[in-house]
Amino acid sequence: QLQLRESGGGSVPPGSSLRLSCALSGNAYNVYSMAWFRQGTGNHREGVASINTDGIKEVATSVEGRFTISQDDSKLTTYLDMNNLKPDDTGTYICAHQPRGLVSLWQSEFSYWGQGTQVTVSS
């Protein structure tokens, strides 16, 4: 059973930085992709950034230049570095896994999901 656990969320003022982590455990496959999504008050999940085990990345234009996705050497922890945070970045940040290595920001492409970590940006 694949498990994803997010950490690193918090409540910060605008202009701050946060690093989110997603720890992967279980049968992760040799080739796969990870992604970060965020969900506001509705049910829609917006794809924020994605990376595969070859290091190919995609970042949403809404956060490009401010957010960076990366992985540790083991590929079992995926990070989302968020800089110059804005109130519109507020939401629950959820990591997801896809066992085909396709870099994507579409939630329908991902099979496994974490529970999420809350990020609140407010003065």
Side-chain angles (χ1 to χ4, degrees):
Q1 182 76 15
L2 198 63
Q3 292 187 327
L4 292 77
R5 179 168 294 181
E6 303 93 337
S7 61
S11 182
V12 296
S16 299
S17 298
L18 281 175
R19 167 174 262 202
L20 305 183
S21 299
C22 176
L24 189 63
S25 61
N27 184 13
Y29 302 87
N30 291 328
V31 177
Y32 56 88
S33 296
M34 298 292 295
W36 285 97
F37 291 80
R38 64 186 179 189
Q39 184 170 345
T41 54
N43 290 327
H44 173 67
R45 290 178 178 175
E46 175 192 7
V48 175
S50 179
I51 187 170
N52 70 6
T53 44
D54 288 332
I56 298 172
K57 306 175 185 180
E58 181 177 0
V59 179
T61 54
S62 60
V63 301
E64 194 170 15
R66 299 189 298 121
F67 290 14
T68 303
I69 190 169
S70 62
Q71 291 180 314
D72 68 356
D73 290 343
S74 71
K75 311 292 185 185
L76 294 178
T77 301
T78 301
Y79 302 103
L80 184 67
D81 288 296
M82 307 185 295
N83 298 309
N84 191 21
L85 283 161
K86 304 176 181 180
D88 284 349
D89 296 319
T90 294
T92 301
Y93 283 71
I94 307 164
C95 67
H97 173 282
Q98 180 226 90
R100 290 178 289 131
L102 177 66
V103 175
S104 173
L105 298 180
W106 292 98
Q107 60 175 323
S108 61
E109 295 283 353
F110 291 83
S111 305
Y112 299 93
W113 296 81
Q115 295 297 310
T117 184
Q118 179 66 32
V119 172
T120 302
V121 185
S122 173
S123 56

